[in-house]
Amino acid sequence: MTWQEAFQTEDRAAVEDYCASHGQTFEWTEEGLRTRHVRPSFVDEPHTGGTVWFNQANLFHVSSLGEEVSEALLELYPEEDLPRNAYFADGSPIPGADLERIRAVYDEVSYAFPWQAGDIMVINNMLMAHGREPFTGERRILVAMTG
């Protein structure tokens, strides 16, 4: 996907304004646009006051794509030019063992249940990761979000 497709504009200034207003740094490269967005690993959930893991470093890291896809991408791109990846806030790499542990914890605390016709799910997005498993079959998804 090109930056023009991603931002739905040809206007570089509009893209730069968007990045600046959303706390992203950006750099124009020969290949297009490179953005960086530093986010906290943990945040305080406003209803419980508890500190929760609330980021997707484990999903955005290239290793989340599986060994075959990760290796293929790294053959095509230098690591800094990967279409997506996650690093520590200082730009240093996140060790693979750390990401494996995060994925293992997700597996340990996962909960699945058999859906039945008419079921409705209401979740607090800060307290519950969701939609991580593949699904096949017919379904209808309606989403409402509130702050």
Side-chain angles (χ1 to χ4, degrees):
M1 175 181 290
T2 66
W3 65 266
Q4 294 93 334
E5 293 167 322
F7 287 94
Q8 300 180 355
T9 184
E10 296 281 332
D11 184 354
R12 286 185 179 216
V15 172
E16 293 172 3
D17 288 345
Y18 176 89
C19 290
S21 69
H22 287 86
Q24 297 178 7
T25 60
F26 61 89
E27 171 185 1
W28 295 104
T29 69
E30 290 181 19
E31 286 75 34
L33 176 67
R34 178 183 298 139
T35 60
R36 289 189 174 83
H37 200 169
V38 177
R39 303 296 304 150
S41 298
F42 297 90
V43 297
D44 292 334
E45 197 285 325
H47 299 289
T48 66
T51 301
V52 297
W53 167 266
F54 190 68
N55 75 78
Q56 297 182 335
N58 56 309
L59 299 174
F60 285 113
H61 192 271
V62 67
S63 66
S64 71
L65 300 171
E67 188 175 339
E68 187 176 321
V69 173
S70 295
E71 287 176 4
L73 282 170
L74 287 165
E75 286 178 19
L76 293 170
Y77 301 98
E79 186 174 351
E80 65 273 10
D81 289 336
L82 286 168
R84 71 174 198 183
N85 205 1
Y87 300 89
F88 286 120
D90 67 0
S92 63
I94 302 172
D98 291 357
L99 294 159
E100 288 173 23
R101 180 65 185 133
I102 291 166
R103 290 184 192 104
V105 169
Y106 266 81
D107 288 343
E108 288 171 22
V109 300
S110 290
Y111 174 76
F113 56 92
W115 285 89
Q116 298 178 29
D119 282 352
I120 295 174
M121 176 174 50
V122 177
I123 62 167
N124 177 325
N125 197 46
M126 292 184 77
L127 296 177
M128 181 69 63
H130 54 88
R132 301 292 186 250
E133 298 298 321
F135 176 84
T136 58
E138 206 173 303
R139 65 180 173 176
R140 181 175 176 212
I141 300 173
L142 305 172
V143 177
M145 300 177 112
T146 183

